[in-house]
Amino acid sequence: MERVEWDNQTLLMEFLLLGLGDACELQTPLFLLCLTIYTVTMVGNILIIMLVVTDPHLHTPMYFFLVNLSSLETCYSSTILPRLLVSFLTGDRTISVQGCMAQFFFFGTFATSECYLLAAMSYDRYLAICQPLLYAGLMNWKVCLQLVAGSWVAGLLISTGITSFISRQTFCGPSAIDHFFCEEAPLLELSCSDTGMIRILIIILSFPDVVFPFLFTLASYVCIITAILRIPSSIGRHKAFSTCSSHLTMVIVFYGTLIIVYMLPRTVPLRQLNKIFSFFYTILTPLINPLIYSLRNREVKGALRR
């Protein structure tokens, strides 16, 4: 690792990302797996964007949110997978401190924006199912633009705050990050500064980052499910549920794995399990988004046929 002497301390200039495993025989299969996932993710999400943009039948608020979700997933995957693919291909697992902070910043921006965008989509489904007569007036294009812009800005501001705190830390060893990308918890483990205050600040920022959007999404779906159960006919219940089932599946997968990752203690026996769940919500979630919306959505399948 490259280091520099400063004030009698050896400061790190590079980190070593330990990745998903050290076994040489696994590097080629992991490279092929990640390359396939990245290719399908990019093609699937870009295809959804093109379908919604070009098909007038899909020019509705729900699909406007879906375009932005697919854009987020594309950016989200591109902050992690290309670097991971290079490490599998070349064996070079080093990343500069500046590169690590940049990856952390963009990952945090897109992840937080996705939390807010999923909350906006749940609000859209709540209005469509629980307030159908008011839907057109309440969910107009101005409101849609404000919700999407707010999601991106919230992700940018919160990630900027957390990244600025972490980038002020002094890293003087060890140099190995026990993860496949630069994430908050393993980074703080390498800091030789006092991390007490920054951990408190991160906990405070986690409320607008994840907790508030999650609680809003949860409350929206409690109201949606309650309204669906009140529909007298089974056909009506099925039709109402079909309008939000794809989004609900995304919410369960995204938040389910996210909660497991951040609730698991970072003890040595559980670190591999933590990386597996991190792999799921950072890499597999963007993959299943286009699959869920293309396989479960009649309008998207109709647009594909057209």
Side-chain angles (χ1 to χ4, degrees):
M1 288 305 100
E2 187 181 349
R3 299 167 184 263
V4 63
E5 296 291 335
W6 180 78
D7 284 348
N8 296 323
Q9 283 189 316
T10 304
L11 302 183
L12 296 177
M13 301 300 291
E14 289 182 336
F15 292 122
L16 178 68
L17 290 168
L18 295 183
L20 297 171
D22 294 323
C24 294
E25 64 273 12
L26 291 177
Q27 301 309 299
T28 301
L30 285 173
F31 171 78
L32 294 174
L33 173 65
C34 290
L35 180 61
T36 302
I37 289 172
Y38 187 52
T39 303
V40 175
T41 298
M42 297 298 287
V43 171
N45 282 293
I46 291 172
L47 180 60
I48 284 180
I49 294 169
M50 291 174 61
L51 281 174
V52 175
V53 170
T54 58
D55 194 323
H57 297 87
L58 301 181
H59 290 178
T60 63
M62 183 175 78
Y63 291 105
F64 175 69
F65 290 128
L66 179 57
V67 163
N68 281 273
L69 180 63
S70 292
S71 302
L72 269 176
E73 303 285 31
T74 302
C75 298
Y76 194 62
S77 296
S78 298
T79 62
I80 297 173
L81 273 171
R83 181 67 191 80
L84 190 59
L85 288 169
V86 169
S87 69
F88 287 139
L89 195 62
T90 65
D92 181 13
R93 299 183 181 183
T94 59
I95 184 171
S96 67
V97 172
Q98 294 82 2
C100 190
M101 291 303 155
Q103 187 186 57
F104 177 78
F105 168 75
F106 286 111
F107 166 75
T109 298
F110 299 134
T112 304
S113 297
E114 182 160 347
C115 290
Y116 277 88
L117 190 59
L118 289 174
M121 293 174 77
S122 70
Y123 176 63
D124 173 71
R125 292 300 83 204
Y126 163 77
L127 290 179
I129 293 173
C130 301
Q131 305 288 340
L133 299 178
L134 301 176
Y135 179 77
L138 294 175
M139 191 54 70
N140 54 50
W141 285 110
K142 181 181 178 181
V143 172
C144 292
L145 288 169
Q146 288 173 340
L147 289 173
V148 168
S151 299
W152 285 90
V153 170
L156 183 64
L157 292 178
I158 293 172
S159 183
T160 299
I162 295 176
T163 306
S164 66
F165 291 136
I166 292 182
S167 63
R168 293 190 186 121
Q169 297 293 295
T170 302
F171 300 100
C172 53
S175 60
I177 298 176
D178 191 11
H179 218 301
F180 58 89
F181 71 103
C182 294
E183 199 189 17
E184 166 197 310
L187 270 174
L188 289 180
E189 290 174 358
L190 304 186
S191 173
C192 49
S193 305
D194 181 14
T195 60
M197 182 58 69
I198 192 173
R199 290 181 188 275
I200 293 172
L201 289 170
I202 287 172
I203 290 172
I204 292 171
L205 286 174
S206 70
F207 282 87
D209 186 356
V210 176
V211 176
F212 292 159
F214 170 70
L215 291 177
F216 183 88
T217 304
L218 182 64
S220 297
Y221 271 101
V222 168
C223 295
I224 288 169
I225 292 170
T226 302
I228 290 174
L229 293 176
R230 289 175 181 165
I231 298 174
S233 70
S234 60
I235 295 174
R237 287 195 298 271
H238 177 75
K239 185 177 179 181
F241 185 73
S242 66
T243 64
C244 63
S245 59
S246 297
H247 180 250
L248 180 59
T249 305
M250 276 293 300
V251 168
I252 292 171
V253 171
F254 180 76
Y255 277 113
T257 52
L258 188 66
I259 289 169
I260 291 171
V261 166
Y262 288 100
M263 290 297 289
L264 276 177
R266 283 192 58 80
T267 57
V268 175
L270 292 176
R271 286 191 180 184
Q272 285 302 118
L273 187 61
N274 188 288
K275 281 195 275 189
I276 290 170
F277 281 108
S278 294
F279 185 85
F280 199 95
Y281 93 88
T282 58
I283 293 174
L284 292 184
T285 299
L287 170 69
I288 66 174
N289 172 38
L291 296 178
I292 288 173
Y293 277 98
S294 61
L295 296 177
R296 296 176 60 90
N297 193 297
R298 286 178 296 178
E299 290 176 311
V300 171
K301 288 188 284 189
L304 278 170
R305 285 193 294 269
R306 287 191 291 272

